[in-house]
Amino acid sequence: MNTKTKVPQALKAKVMLWTDVSYHDMEEIDKMHSIPDLESALCSVFRVDLLEPKRGVLLELYVQVVLFCRECNFIKEQTSALLSIIKSIHEANIETPLNNIEQCFKYCKELLLCHSVRRPPFSINIFSSEEVNCILKYIHNSYVRHYKLYKYIFTPQVKLDLSLTYSGISDQDEPTMEDSSAPDFENDIKKETRQDSKASIEEPQGASLGSKSELKELIEKEVREQMMLVSGQLDQRMKDIADQHGQVDKIPHSPTTRPKNNG
């Protein structure tokens, strides 16, 4: 069993028209109107062979994409491409249990560009700029916001097994007992010496245990702070990108009024 954790990597976008869903598959999907029928058809198209709850979560993801496409009146080519785009983003997310949301979001933007700009054979224009804006907003609300939830369900948990070794402490041994044949007064003196040395040794051992616990807490705190920092940077980046694509609703601002001069 391979226990190595895959490191997040940059992904290369490509055209995905009819990649996973053929024209015939789209005809079958368009015939389905109830949610159970849609789930059955999509399960057959994508060959979903997973146990619950993974199976239900994945089929729900695909079903919502189809419903979104119908709401936007997308044609078969657009629906097929968007299903493959969502599938690719999801697979990129769950390929590693580590945080790769920046790579996934960059990959998502590049995939949308591949299907909105005419530059054959590298990209095609089956989505208009308005449709791309609508899709980007949908992906942000339906998937990116639940990015950690999908990763938690579909990837194995990674646990940190921390082991610390302090040089000069573990090798210290307690003084050995002296030969009982030694004179009594000499044994008494050495017993007192042993008691004093034992007390002096026990103190750093207790301190070392406390140091290990404190160091582990410090490392965990640093990891949490780093995750919060990256998450905050991502939120700001996504907001900036959404502003560039016109996803943020424009809020009308009232005319600026100057404060009255009481002087």
Side-chain angles (χ1 to χ4, degrees):
M1 180 178 178
N2 187 10
T3 58
K4 293 184 179 180
T5 300
K6 188 174 182 180
V7 178
Q9 298 178 353
L11 300 172
K12 186 177 181 179
K14 63 180 181 180
V15 176
M16 293 190 169
L17 179 61
W18 310 125
T19 300
D20 301 291
V21 186
S22 66
Y23 188 89
H24 173 72
D25 293 332
M26 282 305 311
E27 288 182 335
E28 294 299 320
I29 291 174
D30 288 342
K31 295 177 183 179
M32 307 302 172
H33 298 285
S34 66
I35 300 299
D37 291 340
L38 270 177
E39 289 182 349
S40 178
L42 291 169
C43 182
S44 176
V45 170
F46 288 100
R47 297 177 177 86
V48 178
D49 186 16
L50 298 172
L51 299 177
E52 296 293 347
K54 295 181 180 180
R55 181 181 183 276
V57 172
L58 189 58
L59 290 178
E60 176 67 17
L61 175 64
Y62 294 148
V63 167
Q64 292 303 319
V65 173
V66 173
L67 296 179
F68 167 76
C69 292
R70 290 179 178 178
E71 182 180 350
C72 296
N73 296 319
F74 285 172
I75 60 178
K76 292 180 174 62
E77 289 84 350
Q78 293 173 315
T79 303
S80 172
L82 186 54
L83 281 169
S84 294
I85 289 173
I86 295 296
K87 176 176 178 287
S88 298
I89 295 172
H90 174 68
E91 290 176 347
N93 175 22
I94 65 174
E95 72 175 358
T96 173
L98 303 179
N99 186 359
N100 64 338
I101 190 169
E102 289 191 1
Q103 289 87 343
C104 290
F105 196 70
K106 182 180 179 181
Y107 183 49
C108 170
K109 293 185 298 177
E110 293 176 352
L111 284 172
L112 291 177
L113 287 175
C114 280
H115 297 81
S116 59
V117 178
R118 183 177 178 81
R119 194 166 63 97
F122 306 103
S123 62
I124 57 178
N125 59 338
I126 61 175
F127 295 118
S128 64
S129 58
E130 292 79 9
E131 290 169 340
V132 169
N133 292 336
C134 186
I135 292 171
L136 185 63
K137 184 177 180 180
Y138 169 78
I139 294 176
H140 175 267
N141 292 331
S142 64
Y143 193 89
V144 176
R145 284 186 175 180
H146 309 292
Y147 158 84
K148 292 182 179 180
L149 180 60
Y150 283 107
K151 187 175 288 292
Y152 175 79
I153 294 175
F154 288 91
T155 61
Q157 294 184 2
V158 178
K159 294 184 179 180
L160 176 63
D161 188 5
L162 186 63
S163 178
L164 304 176
T165 302
Y166 292 89
S167 60
I169 294 180
S170 59
D171 295 334
Q172 291 182 359
D173 297 328
E174 294 183 2
T176 57
M177 296 295 294
E178 295 294 333
D179 188 5
S180 59
S181 62
D184 293 338
F185 70 91
E186 188 176 355
N187 288 337
D188 293 338
I189 294 175
K190 291 184 177 181
K191 286 181 180 178
E192 294 177 359
T193 305
R194 285 198 301 272
Q195 291 177 356
D196 295 337
S197 63
K198 183 178 180 180
S200 63
I201 292 175
E202 288 178 351
E203 183 177 356
Q205 286 178 347
S208 66
L209 293 176
S211 300
K212 292 180 181 180
S213 178
E214 292 174 0
L215 182 58
K216 183 177 180 181
E217 292 178 359
L218 179 61
I219 293 175
E220 292 177 349
K221 180 181 178 182
E222 291 292 336
V223 172
R224 288 194 299 268
E225 291 177 353
Q226 184 66 20
M227 292 178 64
M228 293 176 62
L229 177 62
V230 173
S231 177
Q233 292 174 349
L234 175 66
D235 292 340
Q236 183 61 39
R237 182 178 179 184
M238 291 176 61
K239 182 179 178 181
D240 295 340
I241 294 172
D243 291 337
Q244 294 175 3
H245 290 278
Q247 293 303 308
V248 177
D249 296 334
K250 295 182 180 180
I251 303 176
H253 298 279
S254 59
T256 304
T257 57
R258 297 182 179 179
K260 293 183 180 180
N261 188 1
N262 294 329

